[in-house]
Amino acid sequence: MPAIELKQKHHCFAGEQRFYCHDADSLQCEMKFGVYMPEKALKGQDCAAIIYLAGLTCTEETFAIKAHAQYVANALDLILIMPDTSPRGEDVMDDAQWDLGQGAGFYLNAIQPLWSKHYQMQTYIVEELYQLIIDNFPIATDRDVKPKIGMMGHSMGGHGALSLAFKFPEKFQSVSAFAPICAPSICPWGEKAFSHYLGANQQDWFAHDSTHLIIKHGKQFDEILVDQGLDDQFYSQLNPEKLQQACDQVGQSLTLRFHEGFDHGYYFIQSFVEDHLRHHAQQLDVI
């Protein structure tokens, strides 16, 4: 496994916000990711971890700077892992539009020739980055020696969190999302990304659509938490009702909360991030 290089570190509450880079084999480019180490982890003691997947146009810095999550993470002894949203670099395929290409990896493995060399974000998150976390940070385990790692995300990253958690429930013990793209197969963002990365066969799309995955795999988690603002300017793209229907169909418990006055941005995330971190702490059995 390639080594990771510490590029920055900042004292933050009683912990430390760090940023790393490494050569990612799965993406064939350099990748960056952020890590918040609570005080307990800095002392070398094992902690549960949460991988946060950011949305369109975001980077490994977005959640660290905008979500104001570190105070609660330190209090709950949670390590926060914040990967970039796509492969990047001069030789990495891109698009002039903001919702495709660099900054818009959609957390899947592309199969179309123009994109497949670098856009292998599913493999990167659930295999390469996952193993880097275990190898380099003090991650707690349960009685079955299963790493205590949860998954959360926002918008495109909410799609990533839900879809990857249901595809790989053996790797993630908890999941939550803010304003996720719940049914990407039937919204413009998803249709655009899926047609470019995966091609025209909609059966390939369904393999990355959370509503289809939930129906296919059935109940996998004790509880899922999703928050959605009712003043979200992208509400028509998100389809939270489809998520509720899929969960109801298979008996998957879902707490889907709607909030008057909140939009799609990080002020919304700031307002409810403590609830999400406490949700993960409970699911990961650390509080």
Side-chain angles (χ1 to χ4, degrees):
M1 186 67 68
I4 60 174
E5 179 183 355
L6 179 64
K7 303 297 288 186
Q8 297 180 46
K9 62 179 181 179
H10 309 277
H11 193 69
C12 187
F13 299 104
E16 197 167 81
Q17 178 65 52
R18 300 176 177 179
F19 293 98
Y20 293 89
C21 69
H22 71 109
D23 292 328
D25 289 341
S26 55
L27 306 181
Q28 299 187 49
C29 68
E30 181 182 85
M31 283 294 282
K32 300 175 181 178
F33 64 95
V35 178
Y36 179 69
M37 295 282 283
E39 182 179 18
K40 183 177 177 181
L42 289 179
K43 294 178 178 178
Q45 300 176 47
D46 289 348
C47 296
I50 303 170
I51 299 174
Y52 174 86
L53 303 182
L56 290 163
T57 76
C58 294
T59 72
E60 74 286 351
E61 293 186 309
T62 307
F63 184 77
I65 294 170
K66 292 185 175 183
H68 300 181
Q70 290 92 339
Y71 179 81
V72 178
N74 184 68
L76 296 175
D77 301 323
L78 294 172
I79 297 172
L80 303 179
I81 310 294
M82 299 154 258
D84 200 353
T85 54
S86 77
R88 296 186 193 265
E90 292 184 0
D91 64 335
V92 174
M93 182 66 179
D94 200 7
D95 189 86
Q97 298 296 314
W98 64 277
D99 53 358
L100 185 69
Q102 295 187 36
F106 267 82
Y107 305 104
L108 52 76
N109 285 347
I111 58 177
Q112 290 298 295
L114 285 176
W115 302 94
S116 60
K117 178 180 178 179
H118 296 288
Y119 284 78
Q120 301 293 308
M121 285 297 292
Q122 174 177 299
T123 297
Y124 176 69
I125 297 295
V126 303
E127 295 182 20
E128 189 166 1
L129 181 65
Y130 190 94
Q131 193 61 50
L132 283 174
I133 294 166
I134 293 171
D135 289 346
N136 290 278
F137 303 100
I139 305 300
T141 58
D142 63 16
R143 294 178 181 177
D144 298 322
V145 200
K146 182 178 178 180
K148 289 188 175 184
I149 298 177
M151 178 76 83
M152 64 187 290
H154 169 234
S155 193
M156 178 187 71
H159 141 74
L162 291 168
S163 61
L164 294 179
F166 271 87
K167 279 188 274 190
F168 302 96
E170 72 279 5
K171 292 196 169 186
F172 304 108
Q173 298 191 36
S174 59
V175 62
S176 74
F178 295 95
I181 305 172
C182 298
S185 295
I186 59 169
C187 79
W189 279 341
E191 291 170 351
K192 182 176 184 178
F194 285 5
S195 62
H196 281 80
Y197 297 148
L198 303 172
N201 185 349
Q202 289 199 337
Q203 292 301 314
D204 292 328
W205 298 13
F206 297 158
H208 303 281
D209 184 310
S210 297
T211 59
H212 287 268
L213 289 164
I214 290 168
I215 293 169
K216 177 181 179 181
H217 294 291
K219 180 182 184 296
Q220 297 293 330
F221 299 93
D222 290 339
E223 185 74 26
I224 300 171
L225 174 61
V226 172
D227 280 305
Q228 175 63 60
L230 288 175
D231 282 8
D232 191 319
Q233 61 271 44
F234 301 114
Y235 192 94
S236 64
Q237 298 259 27
L238 305 178
N239 292 295
E241 296 82 4
K242 297 290 186 183
L243 179 67
Q244 184 72 71
Q245 292 168 10
C247 288
D248 289 346
Q249 183 172 331
V250 300
Q252 171 61 63
S253 181
L254 168 68
T255 298
L256 174 58
R257 307 190 302 187
F258 293 96
H259 304 279
E260 293 280 357
F262 286 94
D263 61 19
H264 197 70
Y266 269 79
Y267 295 116
F268 164 55
I269 293 175
Q270 289 173 22
S271 301
F272 301 103
V273 71
E274 179 172 354
D275 292 350
H276 282 248
L277 296 184
R278 291 191 178 278
H279 162 81
H280 286 275
Q282 290 174 348
Q283 297 292 307
L284 296 168
D285 195 26
V286 298
I287 60 171

